[in-house]
Amino acid sequence: MTQPATSNQATDLTDYLTKQREHVLGILEGLSEEAMRRPVLPTGWTCAGLVQHLALDVERFWYRREIELADKIIAATSLEAPLAWWPDFFPPGFHLDNLRQVLLHVIAETASHAGHLDAARELIDGETWLILT
């Protein structure tokens, strides 16, 4: 039986993921439904489409209630615990072996897309989350 993820590493990983989640939610706060669905880039990319990607493809536990549930699972699980299942939407050959790898992948995906949303929001209405000069 594996031990729960109670180490500082697990707490640090969860804290970093929480900050990225807050960034995504914060940059989208106040956008109208129309703005969320408006294509921002020539490819037809929308903020709503990216959030759907994060929700369904990256984390599956996106909305606030599910975030709490995911964090409880993370806290009760060893970072070295093997995965109980593997989603079928990943390309062939892409596989993660344990909770630590999943958390690192989700942090990287969420941070990357938070940056995309920063650019999109600025293009939509000029609003910015964090600008370093």
Side-chain angles (χ1 to χ4, degrees):
M1 182 199 257
T2 57
Q3 295 297 314
T6 57
S7 71
N8 287 340
Q9 261 187 9
T11 300
D12 289 347
L13 290 170
T14 304
D15 288 349
Y16 275 92
L17 179 55
T18 296
K19 293 294 182 204
Q20 295 308 317
R21 290 167 172 160
E22 289 171 354
H23 185 139
V24 168
L25 294 172
I27 194 63
L28 295 174
E29 191 170 314
L31 271 184
S32 68
E33 186 71 22
E34 183 277 327
M36 285 285 291
R37 300 194 181 289
R38 186 173 87 204
V40 182
L41 299 176
T43 59
W45 184 93
T46 68
C47 292
L50 186 63
V51 170
Q52 181 178 8
H53 165 65
L54 285 171
L56 300 177
D57 299 342
V58 176
E59 190 163 343
R60 284 205 183 259
F61 303 111
W62 183 252
Y63 300 107
R64 287 177 173 94
R65 186 176 134 260
E66 285 77 15
I67 286 172
E68 292 174 16
L69 295 173
D71 287 347
K72 287 179 184 177
I73 292 168
I74 292 166
T77 307
S78 167
L79 290 175
E80 303 310 318
L83 304 181
W85 61 273
W86 186 250
D88 59 6
F89 53 77
F90 284 107
F94 182 87
H95 186 77
L96 303 173
D97 295 320
N98 56 41
L99 178 58
R100 178 190 318 280
Q101 291 176 358
V102 169
L103 282 171
L104 290 169
H105 176 73
V106 171
I107 290 166
E109 281 283 311
T110 305
S112 173
H113 294 317
H116 296 136
L117 289 167
D118 282 337
R121 180 67 188 256
E122 191 168 355
L123 289 170
I124 289 170
D125 64 6
E127 189 71 28
T128 58
W129 179 259
L130 174 65
I131 299 296
L132 302 175
T133 57

